[in-house]
Amino acid sequence: MPFHPLRVAGIDRLCADAVAVTFEVPPELSSAFRFGPGQSLTVRRDGERRTYSICAPAGAAPRIGVREVPGGVISRWIVHDLRPGDLVDVAPPTGTFTPDLAAGGRHVLIAAGSGITPVLSIAASLLERSRAGASPPAGWLGRAGRRPSAGVAVLGGAEVTLFYGNRRADTVMFAEELADLKDRYPDRLELVHVLSREARESELFSGRLDAQRLRELVPLLVDVPAVDHWWLCGPFGMVTDATTVLGELGVPAGRVHRELFWVDEAPPPPVRPEALVDGPTSDVTVVLDGRRTTVPVPDGVTLLDGAQKSRPDLPFACKGGVCGTCRARVTDGEVTMRRNFALEQAEVDAGFVLTCQSLPASPKVVIDFDQ
Ligand code: FES
């Protein structure tokens, strides 16, 4: 994963514990940093990496939303110490949680807390880019990584319903940006705030955005069969609750797109490769940027940890099965993926795995990061 020093063009405080950071991209890096709505940037500092979602609409300068998390060294530095003009090591955009802007259609977005960050980018891009006759921005790639063929105009105005759960009004990230969007697109954006620790005028909008509330709210405010795509982003509990409710409502799984922001469950304990050198190993071949490298990886060690010693350029960020940065395709052999909060079923069916969560399960394994 190549990192580039980008200058901070601006920092906006969103609420007490969150900021938005806009980066200046020099002309020679503009194509590398073109992003699709819903994608993320990885930031590196002192050997630590974190992935943050882009909140800007496609075609704008990259801007990430960062909320300070307890004990989070990088988020604390960004929220409290980073200043305009500073240089930050940033890797180009990644992620497949991104809509096909050329298709328009009806979209329902369900977000909680900082899960609003990619959802804001998706909502703004859909509303902005799907004005009748508008074309997707230069360099924009759709969900499957393909640019719509030349001359394909956007079909019509996309319609967006956004359910957004927070504790209180003063913890709402991007409150102003959302209100601006609503002002600009009053007929095509339905914005529903749900607050868990603050009374609202209706009981329906007070409380956690959990399965029971979604069971009541969604059929009341949305024509479920008419929705083309559902975008879920937030903590594990909210995303799984929403997935369950959409299943109950008969929504086909292929229309539901999910991005997790954090997982309460602890990751499986890491295993140090050195601890297992005397045990059985698998020959793992990694392909990245066209270069093949074969390394022995001890049983019980993840593909990423085992191969990183020889290939320090392998991409990763969270090492927790959440961000999807370490995704690669198994082209030979067998692996066991311990957990997966990032890949969709279609990707798993196509042979993609999270290398930070996958253990070798055959004597030879080949994984391709270039696919
Ligand atoms: S590094 Fe984040 S899922 Fe593997």
Side-chain angles (χ1 to χ4, degrees), residues 89-106:
D89 276 347
V90 185
T94 55
T96 57
F97 185 67
T98 184
D100 180 353
L101 294 184
R106 293 187 184 167

Side-chain angles (χ1 to χ4, degrees), residues 304 316-326 342 354-356:
L304 181 67
F316 74 95
C318 72
K319 283 200 175 181
V322 174
C323 72
T325 310
C326 64
L354 299 173
T355 55
C356 76

Side-chain angles (χ1 to χ4, degrees), residues 212-273:
Q212 193 46 43
R213 192 153 314 273
L214 289 168
R215 266 184 207 109
E216 294 171 29
L217 275 177
V218 171
L220 194 67
L221 300 177
V222 175
D223 178 6
V224 173
V227 175
D228 297 297
H229 292 281
W230 301 78
W231 304 89
L232 317 178
C233 188
F236 183 66
M238 189 224 82
V239 171
T240 47
D241 275 8
T243 306
T244 303
V245 171
L246 296 183
E248 291 167 6
L249 292 171
V251 174
R255 294 189 183 189
V256 181
H257 313 285
R258 312 185 310 161
E259 178 101 320
L260 285 185
F261 258 47
W262 63 91
V263 179
D264 299 330
E265 173 195 328
V271 179
R272 286 181 302 114

Side-chain angles (χ1 to χ4, degrees), residues 60-282:
R63 183 181 189 230
I64 55 172
V66 181
R67 169 165 266 156
E68 184 179 7
V69 295
V73 285
I74 295 199
S75 65
R76 190 177 59 227
W77 165 64
I78 291 176
V79 170
H80 296 291
D81 301 328
L82 196 64
R83 296 285 176 267
D86 288 352
L87 284 173
V88 179
D89 276 347
V90 185
T94 55
T96 57
F97 185 67
T98 184
D100 180 353
L101 294 184
R106 293 187 184 167
H107 299 255
V108 175
L109 290 62
I110 304 177
S114 49
I116 189 64
T117 314
V119 161
L120 173 63
S121 170
I122 290 172
S125 303
L126 283 168
L127 293 165
E128 166 72 16
R129 297 293 170 181
S130 62
R131 287 175 307 183
S135 294
W140 174 79
L141 297 176
R143 187 163 177 74
R146 287 190 296 272
R147 178 159 172 77
S149 40
V152 173
V154 173
L155 296 178
E159 292 174 21
V160 172
T161 300
L162 167 55
F163 295 94
Y164 184 20
N166 279 284
R167 286 192 296 260
R168 299 181 310 274
D170 64 358
T171 64
V172 174
M173 289 172 74
F174 301 111
E176 271 180 36
E177 283 88 343
L178 290 168
D180 283 352
L181 265 190
K182 179 65 186 162
D183 285 347
R184 263 189 290 154
Y185 305 102
D187 301 331
R188 293 197 286 123
L189 172 62
E190 183 82 33
L191 182 56
V192 182
H193 284 286
V194 178
L195 300 177
S196 63
R197 297 196 192 158
E198 204 170 288
R200 312 285 321 276
E201 59 281 11
S202 164
E203 277 276 301
L204 208 50
F205 305 122
S206 305
R208 280 164 56 84
L209 201 50
D210 57 12
Q212 193 46 43
R213 192 153 314 273
L214 289 168
R215 266 184 207 109
E216 294 171 29
L217 275 177
V218 171
L220 194 67
L221 300 177
V222 175
D223 178 6
V224 173
V227 175
D228 297 297
H229 292 281
W230 301 78
W231 304 89
L232 317 178
C233 188
F236 183 66
M238 189 224 82
V239 171
T240 47
D241 275 8
T243 306
T244 303
V245 171
L246 296 183
E248 291 167 6
L249 292 171
V251 174
R255 294 189 183 189
V256 181
H257 313 285
R258 312 185 310 161
E259 178 101 320
L260 285 185
F261 258 47
W262 63 91
V263 179
D264 299 330
E265 173 195 328
V271 179
R272 286 181 302 114
E274 307 77 37
L276 294 169
V277 281
D278 294 334
T281 61
S282 299

Side-chain angles (χ1 to χ4, degrees), residues 143 253-254 256-258 337 340 342-352:
R143 187 163 177 74
V256 181
H257 313 285
R258 312 185 310 161
M337 186 157 55
N340 165 32
L343 300 179
E344 299 204 13
Q345 191 54 47
E347 294 174 285
V348 175
D349 293 344
F352 287 97

